[in-house]
Amino acid sequence: MLEALKVRDFRLLWTGRTVSMLGSWLLVIAIPAHVYALTGSLLATGLTLVAEYLPPLLLGPVAGVLTDRWDRRRVMIAADLFRALAVTLMLFATAGHSLWLVYAALIAESTGAVLFRPAAQAHIPVVVGTGTGLSSANSLNAFTDGTVRLVAPPLGAAIMTLTSFQALIWIDIASYLVSAAAIALTTRRQALVGKRAPVDLAGGWKVLRSLPTAVVLLPLTAIFLAANAALSALLVPFGIQRLGGTEQIGLVVSALGAGFLLGAVAIRRLVDRVQPRYLLAATQLATAVAFFVLFSSTSLLVALPAAVAIGVFGSMTLVTPQTVLQRVVPNEALGRISAVFLSAEALATLIGALAGPLLAQTLSLRAAVVVACAVTAGGALAGLALWDRSRAAVSSVPARDGTGCGA
């Protein structure tokens, strides 16, 4: 999994990405808590989530065009500096009447992330190649993401309790500046993007339609994420009703995080050795079964192993499509294709997070779980059938090492 770290530019990119992500996730609990402390309103607190989801939904495809048209290294640096400036607005949100600054900062920060993420995803194959170095980079990123998501939110809450909300904001600002500095130290690469064909949204859709693999992966990924979000949204009420309370929920969440880390390690070899269509179908089916077992449990003896399994197979399900896309999509269009997938991810997650609780309230918690698990399993089986026509394209993709063309 550490193979990609042998490449200097990837070490710098990974360092910047990790530091900035840590700064952001320190605020996951802190921002809603701060808004609630200022207003006492559940609605105002919930709007923080809406503010984060709006930019990916509205700007994702446009951001993809920009990341394919501009130098991606500069895009990432500019996005980090913009996010550092955006987060600064929260320092002035000290009362209810200045709450709009928090929403404005969240929208601006998320806009920067919409630019950064497809640029980084498209730049990684340029830095490490599309062979084993790419699977190493993606599995390492997944492992790092899981670690940060597991550690940063409670750490941020502890820091806010011991110091202040403003101290966390300064940490987040510093994390973006460190990321920008690290990426600035990477090698400048000659931009070859856009010389052969216009870099626009229509061209991106044309590339997407010409790649059966990407066409199949887009709905499969969206369906999985929507069902996963629905089930995740039901985890807290389930834990209270069936497992005994918030402490038990915390243990289940920790088990999910541990499983995510294990899955990131396991996928390093599997993604290079197993056909993607079979790997993705198997991990999606296993995730559906593990979710069903978790929500059928009445004790931690069953719930914790099921949560670990969800993390393991869920991690594999996320890394596999990303690696396949980076290998089959021409790099000059990868920013646009990645942005389309990121927008679909945001929309699917938002729909699932709303549909799960709504279905549980309308019917029952059990019915909502059965529907979400059935959707996940059905998507996995449908993917096997849909992927028949693109199997040859996936199997014929050469595993190339090296740095590839400049971006």
Side-chain angles (χ1 to χ4, degrees):
M1 191 173 65
L2 302 180
E3 176 186 340
L5 291 177
K6 296 177 182 178
V7 181
R8 174 185 175 273
D9 278 1
F10 179 75
R11 289 199 304 271
L12 291 167
L13 181 59
W14 174 78
T15 299
R17 181 180 178 277
T18 301
V19 171
S20 64
M21 185 178 183
L22 177 62
S24 299
W25 277 82
L26 286 173
L27 297 174
V28 166
I29 294 176
I31 289 178
H34 181 66
V35 170
Y36 187 74
L38 291 179
T39 65
S41 168
L42 293 175
L43 176 60
T45 303
L47 287 177
T48 60
L49 184 64
V50 176
E52 291 187 63
Y53 274 115
L54 277 177
L57 293 176
L58 301 178
L59 304 177
V62 177
V65 172
L66 297 180
T67 57
D68 279 343
R69 183 175 296 173
W70 297 341
D71 180 85
R72 290 163 182 160
R73 175 177 169 274
R74 292 181 180 178
V75 168
M76 290 185 283
I77 295 171
D80 276 334
L81 295 177
F82 179 74
R83 289 190 286 180
L85 182 62
V87 172
T88 305
L89 292 175
M90 294 191 197
L91 293 172
F92 304 98
T94 57
H97 67 272
S98 59
L99 186 63
W100 66 274
L101 290 171
V102 174
Y103 298 132
L106 286 173
I107 291 174
E109 183 186 25
S110 182
T111 299
V114 170
L115 284 169
F116 186 95
R117 291 181 63 188
Q121 189 162 324
H123 194 59
I124 288 175
V126 175
V127 173
V128 301
T130 56
T132 58
L134 180 60
S135 54
S136 166
N138 286 337
S139 60
L140 180 61
N141 281 337
F143 185 88
T144 305
D145 293 355
T147 302
V148 170
R149 295 181 184 193
L150 186 63
V151 173
L155 179 60
I159 292 174
M160 186 171 71
T161 301
L162 295 174
T163 56
S164 65
F165 177 71
Q166 285 71 24
L168 276 178
I169 298 301
W170 282 115
I171 293 174
D172 195 24
I173 293 171
S175 75
Y176 286 130
L177 296 178
V178 169
S179 177
I183 295 171
L185 293 174
T186 60
T187 305
R188 295 181 181 180
R189 300 170 187 270
Q190 183 180 2
L192 300 178
V193 177
K195 289 190 175 181
R196 296 182 178 178
V199 179
D200 53 24
L201 192 57
W205 281 111
K206 184 177 180 180
V207 173
L208 179 62
R209 292 195 302 269
S210 69
L211 297 170
T213 301
V215 172
V216 171
L217 281 176
L218 184 60
L220 291 184
T221 303
I223 290 171
F224 174 80
L225 290 172
N228 184 78
L231 291 166
S232 298
L234 299 174
L235 187 58
V236 171
F238 162 76
I240 294 174
Q241 292 179 19
R242 300 285 295 274
L243 297 181
T246 55
E247 291 184 4
Q248 288 78 1
I249 297 171
L251 291 173
V252 170
V253 171
S254 296
L256 285 168
F260 196 93
L261 299 182
L262 293 173
V265 175
I267 197 63
R268 166 65 181 89
R269 295 293 183 185
L270 291 175
V271 76
D272 290 329
R273 298 182 178 183
V274 181
Q275 285 192 22
R277 64 194 296 262
Y278 295 125
L279 182 58
L280 189 59
T283 55
Q284 286 183 329
L285 280 172
T287 304
V289 172
F291 260 122
F292 186 79
V293 172
L294 171 62
F295 280 94
S296 300
S297 63
T298 56
S299 71
L300 291 177
L301 290 176
V302 177
L304 293 182
V308 171
I310 292 169
V312 169
F313 295 114
S315 176
M316 294 182 179
T317 301
L318 296 177
V319 173
T320 301
Q322 177 182 336
T323 305
V324 171
L325 284 175
Q326 289 171 318
R327 285 174 170 166
V328 302
V329 177
N331 193 263
E332 61 269 17
L334 188 52
R336 281 166 288 175
I337 305 303
S338 297
V340 168
F341 272 75
L342 293 174
S343 296
E345 171 187 329
L347 179 60
T349 302
L350 184 59
I351 291 174
L354 295 174
L358 180 62
L359 189 59
Q361 186 172 343
T362 304
L363 301 176
S364 66
L365 179 63
R366 178 73 173 180
V369 169
V370 170
V371 169
C373 290
V375 168
T376 302
L381 296 175
L384 284 174
L386 291 174
W387 214 332
D388 279 338
R389 59 175 179 167
S390 64
R391 178 175 50 180
V394 176
S395 301
S396 63
V397 174
R400 302 185 306 274
D401 289 309
T403 57
C405 64

